Amino acid sequence: MKTNIISEISRNYSQALLDTAIESNSVELFSSQLNNILEVFNSSQDLKVVMANSSISNLKKLEVIDSIFKDKIDRKLLNFLKILVEKNRFNEIESIKIAYEESVNKLTNKKTVEVVSPIELNFENKSNVLFKLEKKLNCEISPIWTVDENLIAGLVFKFDDYIIDTSIRAKLEDLSKTLNR
């Protein structure tokens, strides 16, 4: 799971976007459309260059945004993108989206948890782990399943600012530290 540093400015913009989404009952729609916007943005090197170039006027950038997204995304989200361009904050779109998703997850009592195992878990094991995690954390879990062959049995859970390592490797490392004192 990649750790992202999100600026206070991005958090403020994402909160404003979330407030707008809640007001218009479009939280999930905005989430989905933000993903699509980033997909388009990240797939076009030309678009990245245009949006990052300070010698291109904001008026031209607004025209570009309109031509790409006008009939493809919610009008309020389109207006939000235009505000980002006008305030020279379009470069923050990715961290705004991440902050938005974090806020939505808090609002809907969801957590994204990376579950690391030494082998690929089958469906039954994944279901058991997911059930126990949801019960323990008292929220809905969106798992990211990864394999680390260096683990010796057990699992590692990464979420928020926590890492819970139940692997034997971690227990052996702890024992080694204790013995070396």
Side-chain angles (χ1 to χ4, degrees):
M1 197 155 81
K2 188 176 149 185
T3 305
N4 296 295
I5 308 283
I6 300 171
S7 72
E8 196 59 36
I9 292 169
S10 293
R11 288 198 190 283
N12 291 340
Y13 276 102
S14 75
Q15 188 58 54
L17 183 61
L18 181 60
D19 292 344
T20 303
I22 291 169
E23 187 179 287
S24 62
N25 200 23
S26 304
V27 174
E28 293 300 320
L29 176 67
F30 281 20
S31 212
S32 169
Q33 290 182 348
L34 275 171
N35 285 330
N36 294 342
I37 290 164
L38 277 172
E39 224 174 81
V40 168
F41 184 69
N42 289 329
S43 69
S44 172
Q45 192 59 38
D46 291 340
L47 181 58
K48 284 182 181 179
V49 168
V50 166
M51 297 310 288
N53 191 334
S54 59
S55 64
I56 297 175
S57 73
N58 282 349
L59 191 59
K60 282 284 184 206
K61 291 178 185 179
L62 291 171
E63 289 173 7
V64 169
I65 293 293
D66 252 345
S67 70
I68 296 171
F69 298 113
K70 187 171 186 167
D71 295 323
K72 295 177 180 74
I73 62 173
D74 185 272
R75 182 184 50 80
K76 290 180 180 179
L77 188 54
L78 180 63
N79 289 340
F80 179 78
L81 294 179
K82 290 177 179 182
I83 289 169
L84 292 179
V85 169
E86 290 167 357
K87 301 288 185 184
N88 296 315
R89 294 288 181 193
F90 197 84
N91 62 324
E92 305 253 353
I93 187 71
E94 195 157 351
S95 60
I96 290 169
K97 182 245 181 220
I98 292 166
Y100 179 86
E101 292 299 327
E102 287 176 358
S103 297
V104 168
N105 285 343
K106 281 182 189 169
L107 185 71
T108 58
N109 197 28
K110 292 181 184 176
K111 284 191 186 304
T112 300
V113 178
E114 181 178 8
V115 182
V116 185
S117 61
I119 59 170
E120 183 69 35
L121 300 177
N122 63 30
F123 178 79
E124 185 180 340
N125 288 336
K126 286 180 179 180
S127 296
N128 288 336
V129 167
L130 202 52
F131 175 76
K132 289 177 183 176
L133 263 177
E134 287 178 342
K135 188 174 178 184
K136 182 83 172 166
L137 298 176
N138 197 26
C139 65
E140 187 179 328
I141 302 294
S142 297
I144 299 172
W145 304 98
T146 58
V147 174
D148 179 355
E149 294 171 354
N150 294 321
L151 285 181
I152 306 171
L155 300 169
V156 177
F157 304 96
K158 300 176 184 178
F159 60 95
D160 298 337
D161 292 332
Y162 300 101
I163 297 177
I164 300 171
D165 193 340
T166 64
S167 70
I168 293 183
R169 180 182 71 185
K171 289 177 174 59
L172 288 173
E173 288 172 359
D174 288 345
L175 181 62
S176 174
K177 288 176 188 173
T178 304
L179 291 173
N180 288 331
R181 288 187 194 167

